[in-house]
Amino acid sequence: MTSPAQRVASLACAAVIMLVHCNAERLPPPAGLSYRWVDAFTVTVSWPEPRGLPAGDVRYKYRLEDPESPVERTPLRHFSVNLLTGDAGSGSWTYLVWTVGENVEESIKVNTTIESPKPRAQVKDVQCFINLDNETKAKEMNCSWVPGDRALDLSFRTCGYTRKSIVGLKMCERPYGDALRSGCYLKANGVTNICVLLESEAGLSTFKLSPMIDPPELSIGEEGGDLKLSWTLPPILKHHPRIFSVCYRKCGHAEVCQDYTTRGEPAFMPYDESCRYELRSRVTTGPSIPLIFSQFGPAVFYGTDQPAGKTLPVVAVVLPLILSVCIFLSCYCFRRHSSILCPVIPDPSVIFKEMMMNGNKDLEPTMGSLYTPVPEPVESCKVDSVAGGAVVPLTS
């Protein structure tokens, strides 16, 4: 019978044996990773062959540290990629690399951090407008930007990391600038898949060019109770699906935006005849082709703010009728109560003339009887005769 201590020792030995066995079957990871910038866009990452690789098909996988980035596979001990500061938002990238094989557990992932050959240059609002001729190809693009505290030179080439694309770096022509923006004219065979470098002695900025066109002219009409929207487009977009973003306001409400995908046919949107519409639009190529886009064009106005079509006749009939009834009732009430509202006032001159001719005899008190004093009591006096003919005065 085994004791608890022996049982614990047996389990520990089994775990160690399993760990050694698993480590023996797991592939060794790459070690000693290094990188080299081929030019301002392309970097090559390489490493020596890991020790202890088993016989058989061994490959390597790599991806950016971001879990959502795609996983790439290579049979070689190196890979090349285009790294753009405009995509990363910085001048630093971290890659994960690991070893994979058949019927063998893949190795742990090792990482390497790649730093840009120069600090990131300060540049804002890069715009490259396509200048079109009568054909469907672009002659050149007018690129402009808002620089930082240093002047920048623009160069470009086709994006990629093949030998052919790397040697094709070209300089922008006819530079210009003012206090707000700097720019130049870029001549290329196409308008897509172009990588641009803006560089000074102190820093650089790299990005993939997004070609722009002038905003298409918006035309508005009515059809079947809806607004009919159509645009005038350059030939370069004539045979591709495009997405029109339309933002509009009506009757003072908040702005509403809506997308329409067309191949040249007009678009329709509901129309309220009682509202004045303010519309602006822009265009973007569909998701299946390289990006070409425009900014929003100037606002276009259509219609007027007014009562709805059914309400206007009702108001035109009912309002005069109500006004007529009010006037009739006012006249009736005034005539019926005219003696109160407008009493007859006698002429003062007539009253004065009658007073002079007739005196006060015809005047009768109108305020009641006159005041009559109450008679006071009077005592009678009696005179008695006195003998001798003397008169005796009366005493009170």
Side-chain angles (χ1 to χ4, degrees):
M1 182 175 181
T2 60
S3 64
Q6 291 175 336
R7 192 176 303 164
V8 171
S10 300
L11 291 174
C13 290
V16 171
I17 292 172
M18 291 180 62
L19 180 61
V20 172
H21 180 71
C22 291
N23 287 340
E25 291 188 355
R26 191 167 193 175
L27 290 172
L33 275 70
S34 61
Y35 66 89
R36 179 178 64 90
W37 284 96
V38 181
D39 66 358
F41 307 102
T42 305
V43 67
T44 298
V45 180
S46 59
W47 58 93
E49 183 176 343
R51 293 182 179 181
L53 282 179
D57 186 17
V58 176
R59 294 176 178 270
Y60 304 93
K61 289 183 177 180
Y62 61 93
R63 66 169 173 82
L64 282 170
E65 193 176 31
D66 182 5
E68 296 183 358
S69 63
V71 176
E72 305 291 343
R73 182 189 291 258
T74 176
L76 308 175
R77 287 181 285 107
H78 62 83
F79 63 88
S80 297
V81 289
N82 276 10
L83 297 180
L84 306 176
T85 62
D87 294 339
S90 66
S92 178
W93 303 262
T94 298
Y95 266 88
L96 301 177
V97 186
W98 64 100
T99 312
V100 296
E102 295 181 359
N103 302 321
V104 184
E105 186 178 0
E106 64 184 26
S107 73
I108 61 172
K109 297 178 176 66
V110 295
N111 64 69
T112 181
T113 300
I114 302 169
E115 299 290 342
S116 175
K118 288 184 179 182
R120 193 162 182 255
Q122 299 299 318
V123 61
K124 299 178 182 178
D125 193 24
V126 180
Q127 300 179 359
C128 289
F129 282 90
I130 303 173
N131 294 336
L132 296 171
D133 57 8
N134 295 329
E135 303 297 330
T136 59
K137 294 183 179 180
K139 281 185 174 181
E140 60 184 5
M141 281 180 279
N142 181 2
C143 294
S144 65
W145 59 90
V146 178
D149 55 351
R150 295 178 181 270
L152 299 170
D153 296 324
L154 188 148
S155 56
F156 64 97
R157 69 169 174 83
T158 303
C159 295
Y161 41 82
T162 63
R163 185 180 301 274
K164 181 179 180 181
S165 60
I166 290 174
V167 299
L169 194 64
K170 299 179 181 179
M171 294 298 296
C172 199
E173 301 178 359
R174 308 199 316 269
Y176 63 88
D178 55 25
L180 299 178
R181 300 184 69 86
S182 299
C184 60
Y185 290 88
L186 181 153
K187 290 187 177 181
N189 294 329
V191 296
T192 58
N193 198 34
I194 296 176
C195 285
V196 175
L197 166 64
L198 282 167
E199 186 176 18
S200 67
E201 294 181 358
L204 61 82
S205 178
T206 54
F207 55 93
K208 190 171 183 179
L209 185 146
S210 297
M212 302 175 64
I213 61 173
D214 292 327
E217 182 180 352
L218 173 62
S219 299
I220 306 175
E222 292 183 46
E223 185 174 317
D226 294 332
L227 285 183
K228 180 180 179 181
L229 310 178
S230 56
W231 294 268
T232 302
L233 290 174
I236 195 171
L237 297 182
K238 189 173 183 180
H239 303 290
H240 299 291
R242 49 264 190 182
I243 301 171
F244 291 97
S245 297
V246 180
C247 295
Y248 66 92
R249 301 175 187 269
K250 66 172 186 176
C251 290
H253 296 164
E255 187 175 59
V256 178
C257 296
Q258 190 169 349
D259 292 340
Y260 300 90
T261 302
T262 75
R263 285 185 170 270
E265 69 276 9
F268 295 88
M269 64 182 299
Y271 178 46
D272 185 352
E273 296 181 357
S274 64
C275 289
R276 181 175 185 255
Y277 282 70
E278 177 185 347
L279 303 97
R280 57 194 186 98
S281 65
R282 67 179 178 184
V283 65
T284 305
T285 52
S288 60
I289 59 175
L291 176 66
I292 299 175
F293 70 101
S294 77
Q295 297 175 325
F296 277 101
V300 179
F301 299 91
Y302 190 86
T304 56
D305 288 329
Q306 58 184 0
K310 295 182 179 180
T311 306
L312 188 60
V314 174
V315 173
V317 173
V318 173
L319 189 60
L321 181 61
I322 294 175
L323 184 60
S324 300
V325 171
C326 292
I327 293 175
F328 174 78
L329 293 176
S330 299
C331 295
Y332 173 78
C333 293
F334 184 83
R335 182 178 181 84
R336 182 172 183 178
H337 302 283
S338 60
S339 59
I340 299 175
L341 298 176
C342 299
V344 177
I345 300 175
D347 188 357
S349 61
V350 175
I351 298 175
F352 181 74
K353 184 177 180 180
E354 291 180 353
M355 291 176 60
M356 295 296 293
M357 293 179 63
N358 302 326
N360 293 331
K361 62 180 181 179
D362 294 332
L363 295 178
E364 296 181 357
T366 58
M367 299 297 294
S369 58
L370 297 176
Y371 171 74
T372 305
V374 178
E376 297 181 358
V378 178
E379 294 181 1
S380 59
C381 295
K382 182 179 181 183
V383 180
D384 294 331
S385 59
V386 180
V391 177
V392 181
L394 296 177
T395 59
S396 60

